[in-house]
Amino acid sequence: MTTQVRTEPITVNLGPQHPSTHGVFRMRVTFDGEEIIDVEPIFGYLHRGSEKLAEERTYVQVVTLTDRMDYVGSMLNNQAYMLAVEKLGNVEPAPRGVWLRMIASELQRIASHLVAVGFLIQDLGAWGTPLIYTMREREKILDLFEMLCGARITNSYLRPGGVFMDAPAEFWPAMNAVLDELPPRIDDLDDLLTDNDIIFSRTKGVSVLTPEQMLDASITGPMLRAAGVDWDLRHRDPYDYYDQVTFERPLHTAGDNFARYWVRVQEMRESIKIIRQCEKLIEPGPVRPEHDDVPWLLRPPIGDAYAAIEHSKGELGFYLVSDGSISPYRCHVRAPSLINLTLLREMLVGELLADMFVSFGSVDINMGEVDR
Amino acid sequence: MIGLGLLKAMRVTLRNALKAPFTIQYPDRKVGIVGAAKEEGKSPIGLVATQPVTAAKAAMSMYSVPVNIPQNRRFRGNEFTWYEDRCTGCASCAKYCPLGIIEIVTSPGGFDVQEGESYAIDVFDIDIGRCMFCGLCVEACPYDALHMGSHFERSKYERDALVIPVDELRQALKEPSSWFRPQFEERDYDPFRDGAEDDHYKVGRHEKPSDETLDERWVEER
Ligand code: SF4
Ligand code: SF4
């Protein structure tokens, strides 16, 4: 005989200072027993006004602000911003600079996915170990960035039309060593997690999102590809030289937490392939246009431009308006983290308390980018 | 199948458990008697015989050796290297800083037949408490007078102590990083090598334009 326990809805406030919220994020969650019946996400605690600050800085100075938006994907942010500036100012980029920034941004994509996977597993309750495995690999990529541009997180490596300085001679062997080491480590990750029964039972079929739901909410990136929608800007609308490299787009059809995790792991392998191809195609030459063509105090003609890239989290776009002066009149960022969060309620309602942070982590958000 | 996946995962964990740790102990790491003897330049037996106190400390793992973290030469360190004799006081660096934290005050200096009028630098303060080490000031300096440093240990108890005043900049150790200074890398300069180049003239500057290019720039283009 089953006994009916009468439960009452209870509202719990989570965050903003909560270790599982990947930053300062607050959720007002209503539970009925262990089941979530309502979620109200509240954000804005990390708002630093980057878009406004950009309005009083020169086009090159703004690159330091983009570093700090999504701080686990700085190179990708730099790239999106530079594409917008180049479009706005009709800058012809230097080929070697473009190849270098493609290499840098693919490395960054691997690093960013490693963080996403590591923290997702941490949210599952595997405290420490898998996270440290992924952090160890990420550390090597950050070392490469230090070689390239002197900083690990706040890179500021890109400049309008290319990069600020060519890669040093010691970079290429170091990068090859890292790329050789990575595939076995990703296989390890597969052994450790992808085939793991505990992970299976915890993530399969949890927080399923349908392609229609996601398309309606403009969700992009690995989240969308995990539901089988083949949408990758590198392939659909190639920027830089992505039309000259070949890569596959891993797709999963489930649209659940496991699919989102799986797509990220596979994308790391594709990024390695892209870097290998870039390395073959790169040719010696200048890494940025002459100063006479692209001065430091760039004054783009009056107009506006929008450029978007496939960030590790989704479509990252910069919309710049120029009034002909040395700083943008308006700078708007289409932040994938923010837009991917909009389906949080649909993801969480009906799920259990223990899966809440797993689903939240599988979105792979970065509060620095959500609030800007 | 339940179980096989877990066994596979256990294999990875075991393999990693048997490896040496990847983490680096900072700023120092504890060593035993053997490590202590190596640090003191003695054999372990010699250490016990001559320095029993040190040996006892090491045995109780109270002896530590400093750890040097390998850094790359482009590392944007937090003490700036500034060469006063090259600086003209043009304040390009101050204008280019996104945060405006460089303060420069100059006064008319002497007159040199070769170089023309010069300015004496009275104040050249960098408030590194607000600095984000982006290196744009270094990029802006047209005379190679300002460089990023190559060190990072500069914690202070007070905010005011984080301002680098001009006197400190003058006396600071000159170990510039090669950030935005390609000529350093061409000449294989490494700030972390022992006895790193103190004499900046050997390290070099941007190529001085030849008289012909200057003629072309100033006479023919106008
Ligand atoms: S490193 Fe950047 S923030 Fe610091 S003084 Fe130079 S320009 Fe300003
Ligand atoms: S830009 Fe260079 S030369 Fe000009 S004031 Fe700054 S340090 Fe001196």
Side-chain angles (χ1 to χ4, degrees), chain A residues 57 61 136 146 148-150 155 159 164 166 188 195-197 296, chain B residues 3 5-6 8 11 15-16 72-74 76 96 98 132 139 179:
Chain A
R57 275 165 181 72
Q61 286 174 350
R136 177 183 61 191
E146 191 186 312
L148 215 50
C149 62
N155 308 110
R159 295 286 181 272
F164 84 90
D166 204 348
D188 268 7
D195 300 337
N196 194 319
D197 307 318
W296 282 339
Chain B
L6 285 183
K8 257 162 109 184
R11 202 189 64 203
R15 210 168 48 221
N16 277 289
N72 297 302
R73 47 189 175 171
R74 280 187 193 175
R76 293 181 233 153
Y96 215 58
M132 54 184 171
E139 192 173 332
W179 156 267

PDB file of all heavy atoms in Angstrom, chain A residues 57 61 136 146 148-150 155 159 164 166 188 195-197 296, chain B residues 3 5-6 8 11 15-16 72-74 76 96 98 132 139 179:
ATOM      1  N   ARG A  57      35.946  54.651 -25.432  1.00  0.00           N
ATOM      2  CA  ARG A  57      37.298  54.173 -25.649  1.00  0.00           C
ATOM      3  C   ARG A  57      37.537  54.020 -27.142  1.00  0.00           C
ATOM      4  O   ARG A  57      36.592  53.876 -27.906  1.00  0.00           O
ATOM      5  CB  ARG A  57      37.495  52.845 -24.929  1.00  0.00           C
ATOM      6  CG  ARG A  57      37.867  53.098 -23.501  1.00  0.00           C
ATOM      7  CD  ARG A  57      37.746  51.938 -22.603  1.00  0.00           C
ATOM      8  NE  ARG A  57      38.121  52.335 -21.254  1.00  0.00           N
ATOM      9  CZ  ARG A  57      37.389  53.107 -20.463  1.00  0.00           C
ATOM     10  NH1 ARG A  57      36.262  53.595 -20.897  1.00  0.00           N
ATOM     11  NH2 ARG A  57      37.792  53.407 -19.261  1.00  0.00           N
ATOM     12  N   GLN A  61      41.270  50.091 -27.844  1.00  0.00           N
ATOM     13  CA  GLN A  61      41.154  49.938 -26.391  1.00  0.00           C
ATOM     14  C   GLN A  61      39.989  49.040 -25.988  1.00  0.00           C
ATOM     15  O   GLN A  61      40.031  48.391 -24.950  1.00  0.00           O
ATOM     16  CB  GLN A  61      40.990  51.309 -25.739  1.00  0.00           C
ATOM     17  CG  GLN A  61      42.275  52.110 -25.725  1.00  0.00           C
ATOM     18  CD  GLN A  61      42.058  53.505 -25.215  1.00  0.00           C
ATOM     19  OE1 GLN A  61      40.938  53.942 -25.040  1.00  0.00           O
ATOM     20  NE2 GLN A  61      43.138  54.221 -24.987  1.00  0.00           N
ATOM     21  N   ARG A 136      43.838  20.411 -16.110  1.00  0.00           N
ATOM     22  CA  ARG A 136      45.231  20.141 -16.443  1.00  0.00           C
ATOM     23  C   ARG A 136      45.473  20.368 -17.937  1.00  0.00           C
ATOM     24  O   ARG A 136      46.472  20.986 -18.319  1.00  0.00           O
ATOM     25  CB  ARG A 136      45.537  18.683 -16.082  1.00  0.00           C
ATOM     26  CG  ARG A 136      46.914  18.236 -16.432  1.00  0.00           C
ATOM     27  CD  ARG A 136      47.099  16.767 -16.108  1.00  0.00           C
ATOM     28  NE  ARG A 136      46.157  15.945 -16.875  1.00  0.00           N
ATOM     29  CZ  ARG A 136      45.945  14.659 -16.648  1.00  0.00           C
ATOM     30  NH1 ARG A 136      46.572  14.055 -15.669  1.00  0.00           N
ATOM     31  NH2 ARG A 136      45.091  13.974 -17.378  1.00  0.00           N
ATOM     32  N   GLU A 146      50.194  32.238 -23.167  1.00  0.00           N
ATOM     33  CA  GLU A 146      51.196  33.093 -22.533  1.00  0.00           C
ATOM     34  C   GLU A 146      52.376  33.289 -23.473  1.00  0.00           C
ATOM     35  O   GLU A 146      52.960  34.370 -23.564  1.00  0.00           O
ATOM     36  CB  GLU A 146      51.644  32.459 -21.227  1.00  0.00           C
ATOM     37  CG  GLU A 146      52.469  33.398 -20.376  1.00  0.00           C
ATOM     38  CD  GLU A 146      53.031  32.709 -19.159  1.00  0.00           C
ATOM     39  OE1 GLU A 146      52.265  32.014 -18.480  1.00  0.00           O
ATOM     40  OE2 GLU A 146      54.222  32.870 -18.911  1.00  0.00           O
ATOM     41  N   LEU A 148      52.174  33.209 -26.671  1.00  0.00           N
ATOM     42  CA  LEU A 148      51.703  33.976 -27.825  1.00  0.00           C
ATOM     43  C   LEU A 148      51.548  35.454 -27.477  1.00  0.00           C
ATOM     44  O   LEU A 148      51.939  36.320 -28.238  1.00  0.00           O
ATOM     45  CB  LEU A 148      50.357  33.394 -28.238  1.00  0.00           C
ATOM     46  CG  LEU A 148      49.914  33.317 -29.658  1.00  0.00           C
ATOM     47  CD1 LEU A 148      50.986  32.703 -30.504  1.00  0.00           C
ATOM     48  CD2 LEU A 148      48.658  32.466 -29.728  1.00  0.00           C
ATOM     49  N   CYS A 149      50.953  35.739 -26.333  1.00  0.00           N
ATOM     50  CA  CYS A 149      50.579  37.117 -26.085  1.00  0.00           C
ATOM     51  C   CYS A 149      50.874  37.572 -24.660  1.00  0.00           C
ATOM     52  O   CYS A 149      50.471  38.659 -24.283  1.00  0.00           O
ATOM     53  CB  CYS A 149      49.110  37.326 -26.396  1.00  0.00           C
ATOM     54  SG  CYS A 149      48.041  36.358 -25.382  1.00  0.00           S
ATOM     55  N   GLY A 150      51.558  36.790 -23.882  1.00  0.00           N
ATOM     56  CA  GLY A 150      51.989  37.290 -22.579  1.00  0.00           C
ATOM     57  C   GLY A 150      50.950  37.218 -21.491  1.00  0.00           C
ATOM     58  O   GLY A 150      51.231  37.634 -20.379  1.00  0.00           O
ATOM     59  N   ASN A 155      43.705  38.062 -22.830  1.00  0.00           N
ATOM     60  CA  ASN A 155      44.691  38.002 -23.894  1.00  0.00           C
ATOM     61  C   ASN A 155      44.956  39.321 -24.606  1.00  0.00           C
ATOM     62  O   ASN A 155      46.106  39.707 -24.773  1.00  0.00           O
ATOM     63  CB  ASN A 155      44.257  36.972 -24.930  1.00  0.00           C
ATOM     64  CG  ASN A 155      43.940  35.640 -24.318  1.00  0.00           C
ATOM     65  OD1 ASN A 155      42.818  35.234 -24.272  1.00  0.00           O
ATOM     66  ND2 ASN A 155      44.950  34.984 -23.811  1.00  0.00           N
ATOM     67  N   ARG A 159      44.265  42.538 -33.045  1.00  0.00           N
ATOM     68  CA  ARG A 159      44.171  43.942 -33.400  1.00  0.00           C
ATOM     69  C   ARG A 159      43.376  44.025 -34.702  1.00  0.00           C
ATOM     70  O   ARG A 159      43.310  43.027 -35.430  1.00  0.00           O
ATOM     71  CB  ARG A 159      45.571  44.527 -33.641  1.00  0.00           C
ATOM     72  CG  ARG A 159      46.445  44.548 -32.413  1.00  0.00           C
ATOM     73  CD  ARG A 159      46.010  45.632 -31.454  1.00  0.00           C
ATOM     74  NE  ARG A 159      46.880  45.653 -30.289  1.00  0.00           N
ATOM     75  CZ  ARG A 159      46.695  44.937 -29.203  1.00  0.00           C
ATOM     76  NH1 ARG A 159      45.677  44.125 -29.124  1.00  0.00           N
ATOM     77  NH2 ARG A 159      47.524  45.018 -28.189  1.00  0.00           N
ATOM     78  N   PHE A 164      48.711  41.311 -32.853  1.00  0.00           N
ATOM     79  CA  PHE A 164      49.665  42.386 -32.578  1.00  0.00           C
ATOM     80  C   PHE A 164      51.095  41.993 -32.879  1.00  0.00           C
ATOM     81  O   PHE A 164      51.935  42.826 -33.139  1.00  0.00           O
ATOM     82  CB  PHE A 164      49.520  42.879 -31.134  1.00  0.00           C
ATOM     83  CG  PHE A 164      50.281  42.058 -30.146  1.00  0.00           C
ATOM     84  CD1 PHE A 164      51.596  42.373 -29.830  1.00  0.00           C
ATOM     85  CD2 PHE A 164      49.697  40.980 -29.558  1.00  0.00           C
ATOM     86  CE1 PHE A 164      52.299  41.602 -28.934  1.00  0.00           C
ATOM     87  CE2 PHE A 164      50.394  40.204 -28.674  1.00  0.00           C
ATOM     88  CZ  PHE A 164      51.693  40.516 -28.362  1.00  0.00           C
ATOM     89  N   ASP A 166      53.722  38.479 -34.298  1.00  0.00           N
ATOM     90  CA  ASP A 166      53.792  37.114 -34.799  1.00  0.00           C
ATOM     91  C   ASP A 166      54.049  36.134 -33.653  1.00  0.00           C
ATOM     92  O   ASP A 166      54.573  36.517 -32.609  1.00  0.00           O
ATOM     93  CB  ASP A 166      54.927  37.020 -35.826  1.00  0.00           C
ATOM     94  CG  ASP A 166      54.705  35.872 -36.782  1.00  0.00           C
ATOM     95  OD1 ASP A 166      53.825  35.056 -36.498  1.00  0.00           O
ATOM     96  OD2 ASP A 166      55.401  35.812 -37.801  1.00  0.00           O
ATOM     97  N   ASP A 188      40.701   9.561 -22.834  1.00  0.00           N
ATOM     98  CA  ASP A 188      40.612   9.277 -21.400  1.00  0.00           C
ATOM     99  C   ASP A 188      39.310   9.809 -20.837  1.00  0.00           C
ATOM    100  O   ASP A 188      38.630   9.139 -20.061  1.00  0.00           O
ATOM    101  CB  ASP A 188      41.763   9.979 -20.662  1.00  0.00           C
ATOM    102  CG  ASP A 188      42.974   9.078 -20.538  1.00  0.00           C
ATOM    103  OD1 ASP A 188      42.934   7.988 -21.134  1.00  0.00           O
ATOM    104  OD2 ASP A 188      43.931   9.460 -19.857  1.00  0.00           O
ATOM    105  N   ASP A 195      31.331   6.757 -21.226  1.00  0.00           N
ATOM    106  CA  ASP A 195      30.783   5.404 -21.098  1.00  0.00           C
ATOM    107  C   ASP A 195      30.399   5.070 -19.666  1.00  0.00           C
ATOM    108  O   ASP A 195      30.154   3.923 -19.348  1.00  0.00           O
ATOM    109  CB  ASP A 195      31.832   4.382 -21.578  1.00  0.00           C
ATOM    110  CG  ASP A 195      32.202   4.625 -23.019  1.00  0.00           C
ATOM    111  OD1 ASP A 195      31.388   5.239 -23.717  1.00  0.00           O
ATOM    112  OD2 ASP A 195      33.298   4.214 -23.437  1.00  0.00           O
ATOM    113  N   ASN A 196      30.396   6.091 -18.830  1.00  0.00           N
ATOM    114  CA  ASN A 196      30.201   5.831 -17.407  1.00  0.00           C
ATOM    115  C   ASN A 196      28.712   5.649 -17.078  1.00  0.00           C
ATOM    116  O   ASN A 196      27.891   6.494 -17.412  1.00  0.00           O
ATOM    117  CB  ASN A 196      30.776   7.032 -16.646  1.00  0.00           C
ATOM    118  CG  ASN A 196      30.953   6.757 -15.195  1.00  0.00           C
ATOM    119  OD1 ASN A 196      30.095   6.142 -14.581  1.00  0.00           O
ATOM    120  ND2 ASN A 196      32.047   7.215 -14.644  1.00  0.00           N
ATOM    121  N   ASP A 197      28.385   4.561 -16.445  1.00  0.00           N
ATOM    122  CA  ASP A 197      26.972   4.269 -16.179  1.00  0.00           C
ATOM    123  C   ASP A 197      26.326   5.326 -15.292  1.00  0.00           C
ATOM    124  O   ASP A 197      25.150   5.647 -15.459  1.00  0.00           O
ATOM    125  CB  ASP A 197      26.839   2.905 -15.498  1.00  0.00           C
ATOM    126  CG  ASP A 197      27.546   1.843 -16.300  1.00  0.00           C
ATOM    127  OD1 ASP A 197      27.400   1.879 -17.530  1.00  0.00           O
ATOM    128  OD2 ASP A 197      28.245   1.012 -15.710  1.00  0.00           O
ATOM    129  N   TRP A 296      46.295  53.391 -35.365  1.00  0.00           N
ATOM    130  CA  TRP A 296      45.833  53.019 -34.031  1.00  0.00           C
ATOM    131  C   TRP A 296      44.540  53.743 -33.683  1.00  0.00           C
ATOM    132  O   TRP A 296      43.657  53.172 -33.079  1.00  0.00           O
ATOM    133  CB  TRP A 296      46.903  53.342 -32.988  1.00  0.00           C
ATOM    134  CG  TRP A 296      47.978  52.324 -32.974  1.00  0.00           C
ATOM    135  CD1 TRP A 296      47.871  51.055 -33.440  1.00  0.00           C
ATOM    136  CD2 TRP A 296      49.298  52.466 -32.483  1.00  0.00           C
ATOM    137  NE1 TRP A 296      49.054  50.395 -33.253  1.00  0.00           N
ATOM    138  CE2 TRP A 296      49.937  51.232 -32.678  1.00  0.00           C
ATOM    139  CE3 TRP A 296      49.994  53.517 -31.898  1.00  0.00           C
ATOM    140  CZ2 TRP A 296      51.252  51.031 -32.300  1.00  0.00           C
ATOM    141  CZ3 TRP A 296      51.298  53.304 -31.521  1.00  0.00           C
ATOM    142  CH2 TRP A 296      51.921  52.083 -31.725  1.00  0.00           C
TER     143      TRP A 296
ATOM    144  N   GLY B   3      28.627  -1.724 -15.326  1.00  0.00           N
ATOM    145  CA  GLY B   3      29.863  -2.223 -14.738  1.00  0.00           C
ATOM    146  C   GLY B   3      31.062  -2.043 -15.628  1.00  0.00           C
ATOM    147  O   GLY B   3      32.110  -1.607 -15.176  1.00  0.00           O
ATOM    148  N   GLY B   5      31.620   0.127 -18.061  1.00  0.00           N
ATOM    149  CA  GLY B   5      31.992   1.536 -18.146  1.00  0.00           C
ATOM    150  C   GLY B   5      32.699   1.997 -16.888  1.00  0.00           C
ATOM    151  O   GLY B   5      33.691   2.723 -16.949  1.00  0.00           O
ATOM    152  N   LEU B   6      32.218   1.527 -15.765  1.00  0.00           N
ATOM    153  CA  LEU B   6      32.835   1.933 -14.495  1.00  0.00           C
ATOM    154  C   LEU B   6      34.255   1.401 -14.403  1.00  0.00           C
ATOM    155  O   LEU B   6      35.171   2.087 -13.949  1.00  0.00           O
ATOM    156  CB  LEU B   6      32.006   1.418 -13.320  1.00  0.00           C
ATOM    157  CG  LEU B   6      30.707   2.176 -13.069  1.00  0.00           C
ATOM    158  CD1 LEU B   6      30.015   1.629 -11.842  1.00  0.00           C
ATOM    159  CD2 LEU B   6      30.977   3.658 -12.898  1.00  0.00           C
ATOM    160  N   LYS B   8      36.263   0.794 -16.895  1.00  0.00           N
ATOM    161  CA  LYS B   8      37.087   1.599 -17.787  1.00  0.00           C
ATOM    162  C   LYS B   8      37.492   2.903 -17.103  1.00  0.00           C
ATOM    163  O   LYS B   8      38.635   3.349 -17.170  1.00  0.00           O
ATOM    164  CB  LYS B   8      36.293   1.932 -19.054  1.00  0.00           C
ATOM    165  CG  LYS B   8      36.680   1.108 -20.263  1.00  0.00           C
ATOM    166  CD  LYS B   8      35.592   1.185 -21.280  1.00  0.00           C
ATOM    167  CE  LYS B   8      35.915   1.975 -22.506  1.00  0.00           C
ATOM    168  NZ  LYS B   8      34.760   2.073 -23.401  1.00  0.00           N
ATOM    169  N   ARG B  11      40.120   2.465 -14.597  1.00  0.00           N
ATOM    170  CA  ARG B  11      41.457   2.284 -15.172  1.00  0.00           C
ATOM    171  C   ARG B  11      42.117   3.643 -15.394  1.00  0.00           C
ATOM    172  O   ARG B  11      43.289   3.842 -15.098  1.00  0.00           O
ATOM    173  CB  ARG B  11      41.335   1.523 -16.495  1.00  0.00           C
ATOM    174  CG  ARG B  11      42.627   0.850 -16.886  1.00  0.00           C
ATOM    175  CD  ARG B  11      42.518   0.311 -18.292  1.00  0.00           C
ATOM    176  NE  ARG B  11      42.332   1.412 -19.223  1.00  0.00           N
ATOM    177  CZ  ARG B  11      41.767   1.268 -20.427  1.00  0.00           C
ATOM    178  NH1 ARG B  11      41.325   0.111 -20.806  1.00  0.00           N
ATOM    179  NH2 ARG B  11      41.645   2.303 -21.228  1.00  0.00           N
ATOM    180  N   ARG B  15      45.495   4.945 -13.589  1.00  0.00           N
ATOM    181  CA  ARG B  15      46.670   5.344 -14.360  1.00  0.00           C
ATOM    182  C   ARG B  15      47.137   6.729 -13.928  1.00  0.00           C
ATOM    183  O   ARG B  15      48.319   6.986 -13.811  1.00  0.00           O
ATOM    184  CB  ARG B  15      46.317   5.329 -15.842  1.00  0.00           C
ATOM    185  CG  ARG B  15      47.511   5.009 -16.693  1.00  0.00           C
ATOM    186  CD  ARG B  15      47.167   4.703 -18.119  1.00  0.00           C
ATOM    187  NE  ARG B  15      46.277   5.684 -18.695  1.00  0.00           N
ATOM    188  CZ  ARG B  15      45.257   5.370 -19.479  1.00  0.00           C
ATOM    189  NH1 ARG B  15      44.990   4.111 -19.738  1.00  0.00           N
ATOM    190  NH2 ARG B  15      44.494   6.301 -20.002  1.00  0.00           N
ATOM    191  N   ASN B  16      46.169   7.613 -13.708  1.00  0.00           N
ATOM    192  CA  ASN B  16      46.540   8.963 -13.323  1.00  0.00           C
ATOM    193  C   ASN B  16      47.034   9.017 -11.888  1.00  0.00           C
ATOM    194  O   ASN B  16      47.881   9.840 -11.555  1.00  0.00           O
ATOM    195  CB  ASN B  16      45.368   9.910 -13.504  1.00  0.00           C
ATOM    196  CG  ASN B  16      45.265  10.386 -14.925  1.00  0.00           C
ATOM    197  OD1 ASN B  16      46.090  11.159 -15.371  1.00  0.00           O
ATOM    198  ND2 ASN B  16      44.303   9.889 -15.654  1.00  0.00           N
ATOM    199  N   ASN B  72      57.103  32.655 -19.866  1.00  0.00           N
ATOM    200  CA  ASN B  72      57.507  32.971 -21.222  1.00  0.00           C
ATOM    201  C   ASN B  72      57.962  34.413 -21.291  1.00  0.00           C
ATOM    202  O   ASN B  72      57.573  35.226 -20.478  1.00  0.00           O
ATOM    203  CB  ASN B  72      56.354  32.704 -22.165  1.00  0.00           C
ATOM    204  CG  ASN B  72      55.997  31.241 -22.155  1.00  0.00           C
ATOM    205  OD1 ASN B  72      56.836  30.406 -22.443  1.00  0.00           O
ATOM    206  ND2 ASN B  72      54.785  30.934 -21.752  1.00  0.00           N
ATOM    207  N   ARG B  73      58.768  34.686 -22.308  1.00  0.00           N
ATOM    208  CA  ARG B  73      59.399  36.009 -22.275  1.00  0.00           C
ATOM    209  C   ARG B  73      58.452  37.136 -22.641  1.00  0.00           C
ATOM    210  O   ARG B  73      58.751  38.285 -22.389  1.00  0.00           O
ATOM    211  CB  ARG B  73      60.641  36.029 -23.154  1.00  0.00           C
ATOM    212  CG  ARG B  73      60.446  35.428 -24.508  1.00  0.00           C
ATOM    213  CD  ARG B  73      61.764  35.297 -25.214  1.00  0.00           C
ATOM    214  NE  ARG B  73      61.564  34.608 -26.468  1.00  0.00           N
ATOM    215  CZ  ARG B  73      62.477  34.488 -27.386  1.00  0.00           C
ATOM    216  NH1 ARG B  73      63.665  34.985 -27.201  1.00  0.00           N
ATOM    217  NH2 ARG B  73      62.219  33.857 -28.503  1.00  0.00           N
ATOM    218  N   ARG B  74      57.302  36.790 -23.245  1.00  0.00           N
ATOM    219  CA  ARG B  74      56.348  37.864 -23.530  1.00  0.00           C
ATOM    220  C   ARG B  74      55.468  38.186 -22.330  1.00  0.00           C
ATOM    221  O   ARG B  74      54.602  39.035 -22.430  1.00  0.00           O
ATOM    222  CB  ARG B  74      55.450  37.464 -24.693  1.00  0.00           C
ATOM    223  CG  ARG B  74      56.122  37.672 -26.012  1.00  0.00           C
ATOM    224  CD  ARG B  74      55.167  37.427 -27.141  1.00  0.00           C
ATOM    225  NE  ARG B  74      55.923  37.339 -28.374  1.00  0.00           N
ATOM    226  CZ  ARG B  74      55.406  37.044 -29.545  1.00  0.00           C
ATOM    227  NH1 ARG B  74      54.119  36.801 -29.629  1.00  0.00           N
ATOM    228  NH2 ARG B  74      56.138  36.981 -30.621  1.00  0.00           N
ATOM    229  N   ARG B  76      53.470  39.588 -19.517  1.00  0.00           N
ATOM    230  CA  ARG B  76      53.272  41.007 -19.189  1.00  0.00           C
ATOM    231  C   ARG B  76      53.315  41.159 -17.679  1.00  0.00           C
ATOM    232  O   ARG B  76      52.321  41.012 -17.005  1.00  0.00           O
ATOM    233  CB  ARG B  76      51.926  41.480 -19.710  1.00  0.00           C
ATOM    234  CG  ARG B  76      51.847  41.497 -21.199  1.00  0.00           C
ATOM    235  CD  ARG B  76      50.484  42.012 -21.613  1.00  0.00           C
ATOM    236  NE  ARG B  76      49.832  41.102 -22.532  1.00  0.00           N
ATOM    237  CZ  ARG B  76      48.528  41.009 -22.645  1.00  0.00           C
ATOM    238  NH1 ARG B  76      47.742  41.724 -21.910  1.00  0.00           N
ATOM    239  NH2 ARG B  76      48.006  40.180 -23.503  1.00  0.00           N
ATOM    240  N   TYR B  96      47.145  56.502 -24.462  1.00  0.00           N
ATOM    241  CA  TYR B  96      46.710  55.249 -25.031  1.00  0.00           C
ATOM    242  C   TYR B  96      46.178  54.290 -23.983  1.00  0.00           C
ATOM    243  O   TYR B  96      45.530  53.321 -24.308  1.00  0.00           O
ATOM    244  CB  TYR B  96      47.878  54.608 -25.787  1.00  0.00           C
ATOM    245  CG  TYR B  96      47.420  53.875 -27.005  1.00  0.00           C
ATOM    246  CD1 TYR B  96      46.720  54.545 -27.989  1.00  0.00           C
ATOM    247  CD2 TYR B  96      47.662  52.534 -27.169  1.00  0.00           C
ATOM    248  CE1 TYR B  96      46.271  53.898 -29.102  1.00  0.00           C
ATOM    249  CE2 TYR B  96      47.217  51.859 -28.283  1.00  0.00           C
ATOM    250  CZ  TYR B  96      46.521  52.546 -29.247  1.00  0.00           C
ATOM    251  OH  TYR B  96      46.067  51.890 -30.355  1.00  0.00           O
ATOM    252  N   PRO B  98      43.809  52.564 -21.663  1.00  0.00           N
ATOM    253  CA  PRO B  98      42.341  52.586 -21.603  1.00  0.00           C
ATOM    254  C   PRO B  98      41.817  53.110 -20.277  1.00  0.00           C
ATOM    255  O   PRO B  98      40.665  53.530 -20.198  1.00  0.00           O
ATOM    256  CB  PRO B  98      41.946  51.123 -21.779  1.00  0.00           C
ATOM    257  CG  PRO B  98      43.130  50.432 -22.295  1.00  0.00           C
ATOM    258  CD  PRO B  98      44.320  51.199 -21.854  1.00  0.00           C
ATOM    259  N   MET B 132      45.508  46.920 -15.757  1.00  0.00           N
ATOM    260  CA  MET B 132      45.082  45.559 -16.117  1.00  0.00           C
ATOM    261  C   MET B 132      46.132  44.859 -16.968  1.00  0.00           C
ATOM    262  O   MET B 132      45.855  43.826 -17.556  1.00  0.00           O
ATOM    263  CB  MET B 132      43.741  45.595 -16.824  1.00  0.00           C
ATOM    264  CG  MET B 132      43.684  46.486 -18.011  1.00  0.00           C
ATOM    265  SD  MET B 132      42.030  46.492 -18.641  1.00  0.00           S
ATOM    266  CE  MET B 132      42.108  47.787 -19.838  1.00  0.00           C
ATOM    267  N   GLU B 139      52.752  49.405 -26.353  1.00  0.00           N
ATOM    268  CA  GLU B 139      52.550  49.413 -27.795  1.00  0.00           C
ATOM    269  C   GLU B 139      52.599  50.846 -28.328  1.00  0.00           C
ATOM    270  O   GLU B 139      53.043  51.083 -29.453  1.00  0.00           O
ATOM    271  CB  GLU B 139      51.188  48.772 -28.089  1.00  0.00           C
ATOM    272  CG  GLU B 139      50.977  48.458 -29.530  1.00  0.00           C
ATOM    273  CD  GLU B 139      49.690  47.682 -29.741  1.00  0.00           C
ATOM    274  OE1 GLU B 139      49.266  46.974 -28.826  1.00  0.00           O
ATOM    275  OE2 GLU B 139      49.125  47.808 -30.830  1.00  0.00           O
ATOM    276  N   TRP B 179      57.236  41.645 -24.792  1.00  0.00           N
ATOM    277  CA  TRP B 179      55.923  42.013 -25.312  1.00  0.00           C
ATOM    278  C   TRP B 179      56.047  43.235 -26.227  1.00  0.00           C
ATOM    279  O   TRP B 179      56.579  44.271 -25.832  1.00  0.00           O
ATOM    280  CB  TRP B 179      54.989  42.312 -24.141  1.00  0.00           C
ATOM    281  CG  TRP B 179      53.847  43.213 -24.454  1.00  0.00           C
ATOM    282  CD1 TRP B 179      53.826  44.564 -24.309  1.00  0.00           C
ATOM    283  CD2 TRP B 179      52.571  42.846 -24.957  1.00  0.00           C
ATOM    284  NE1 TRP B 179      52.605  45.058 -24.696  1.00  0.00           N
ATOM    285  CE2 TRP B 179      51.817  44.029 -25.097  1.00  0.00           C
ATOM    286  CE3 TRP B 179      51.985  41.635 -25.302  1.00  0.00           C
ATOM    287  CZ2 TRP B 179      50.522  44.025 -25.566  1.00  0.00           C
ATOM    288  CZ3 TRP B 179      50.696  41.650 -25.771  1.00  0.00           C
ATOM    289  CH2 TRP B 179      49.976  42.833 -25.898  1.00  0.00           C
TER     290      TRP B 179
END
